[in-house]
Amino acid sequence: MTSLRSATLLILAAGFLLVGCGNGGGNRNAAAAGQKVYRHSMDQAPVSVDPTQAATVYSNFIVLNVYDTLYAYKYLARPYELKPNLAAGMPEVSADGLTYTIRLKPGVSYTDDESFADGIGREVVAEDFIYSIKRHFDPRSLSQGAWVWQGRIEGLDEWKEAGSDYAAPVSGLQAPDRHTLQIRLTRPYPQLVHTLTMGFSALVPREAVEHYGREFSIRPVGSGPFKLRRFDTARAALIRNPRFRSEPVDLAAEGYDPTLHDGLGLEAIAGRAPPFVDRVDVDFITEDAARWNSFSKGNEIQFAKIPTEQFDTVLSSKTPPTMKTELEGRYKMLDLVAPEVIFNTFNMDFEEFGYNTDPVRAGRNKALRCAVIKAFDWNQRNERFYNGIAKIYPGIIPPAVPEFDAGMSQVSVIRDVEGARKLLADNGWDSDTLPKLVYGVAASVKQRQLFEQFRGFLSEIGYPSEKVVLEQFATFGDISKAWKQSKLPFVSKSWGLDYPDAENVLQLFYGPNGSPGSNDANFADPEYDRLYEQSAVMQPGPERTAIYRRMNEILVDNCVAIMGLSRTNLLMWHDNVIGYPDRNIVGGFWLRYVDLRQE
């Protein structure tokens, strides 16, 4: 927390400004100068744009536009497909799956910056990747991304243990020449290339890190399509990187499908080299109403996620989501099921709900958890908070990944009040014996409403309301810290996928990932862990999918969590904007392809 607060203060006190970029005025000035300015919006501001801190969608969005990663996802292809970005091609992988050889595109340069000799950005080389990955394993970086490669790259954890000396080599990270990189793994890691699309893996120049010190978190120096000219808690202003490499768009190679993308105007960017706009302003607007007001004015932000309270204003139908005809010609709309899972899990560390040395009590605890799951009404949750258009499904594997099991039993997501009451009675639970259940939230009106609905569900199975207790935390960071320290018996959260592979959600219940790791449930099941370790080194295919689905069933059978739901996001943008603003998995990569139609 100390580092985050410090970074925030840096942003407020030392943010650097783009002259003439005030609210609205900068837009008009730029337009008068003949510049193309696209105004995007997000509901939160990033605290840092250092790749080692790219843990949120907000940070990652900016990082992916000012820095380069070796790989990216194709702009339009769904299911998602990898493509080279800074890499010259897909990696050469050794027969044992342990060595990846990657060649970088020659002649790519960092943006000009005072941290370089004579202020001229130098060429991006393979050693930059090695330095950038090492930073995650340097305790001074306070990296939030080390988990991605922890225990995966030969010699990297040992390098950290030995004191993180940048002059010392790491056997699993080698640069045979300026443009060739070799990564040697400790064991097969089929998701490695996916991790090389993440903002965490962005290449940074050592000169800039050392020149700016702590201010590097707000003074990025990259080789991406844009340069950051302003960054504070209200807005980020990005300008075109004039030295960005020229790579004309091949729409077919990017996955263009006329049946899906017709009418978006994307044909206008074919054969041209991005970025297509001179400047992007990203407004950080927390309140839905304020964001919508800015969007609907017509001369401010040009993109917004439709808030649920505006659905009736915008939609003529929710199933499928259909925009009212009178809005056509002014706006475009896209509905997307988010690659995420929203779930509530018990913390098995708490002996009143989870593991217990007394086998009889352990059995009663499982019955209690199963009863709570039966009491939960996913349909009411969907109608009340997600306008009835979210996707409900059993287990932790969401529909966004190919391993999703559409044929899985729906019993765990169907409310059964009588079944829950019987389970409690059969196992000796009544109003006197039921334990206190503490429900933690980051303070907000919506979180309070979610809690009250949950408490209402439980009251219908006889759970005393006074025993379902709300504990509020000032910020998301505070409650996240409580989760990491295993201080709450019940965890309510969402998880957005980092890459399109079910492994990314199944690891949330892998025993060794227990607190302070990502396994907030502190679930530890030998069979589950064995299957996770078996599948972790397997390439995608039917055999691995079968294992994933068996792991999903183990979670349901153990009643470890109330699962799951994925929101359907409705995205809307002004008609003069040419783009496909899907940030799911792709992150901020799509921004380089945005263009504006001349009025």
Side-chain angles (χ1 to χ4, degrees), residues 110-122 205-213 216 219-222:
Y110 288 108
T111 56
D112 295 343
D113 187 82
E114 65 186 44
S115 58
F116 297 112
D118 301 323
I120 306 299
R122 64 162 174 80
R206 183 171 182 172
E207 301 95 315
V209 175
E210 294 179 347
H211 178 78
Y212 290 112
F216 184 70
R219 298 292 296 265
V221 180

Side-chain angles (χ1 to χ4, degrees), residues 438-443 451 469-473 479 482 487-489:
V438 177
Y439 186 111
V441 301
F451 161 74
V469 179
L470 179 68
E471 182 171 348
Q472 298 194 70
F473 294 79
I479 192 171
K487 289 185 174 179
L488 289 169

Side-chain angles (χ1 to χ4, degrees), residues 454-477:
F454 175 72
R455 184 158 65 173
F457 293 158
L458 295 197
S459 71
E460 293 184 47
I461 64 169
Y463 215 117
S465 293
E466 65 272 17
K467 286 192 170 181
V468 185
V469 179
L470 179 68
E471 182 171 348
Q472 298 194 70
F473 294 79
T475 67
F476 179 79

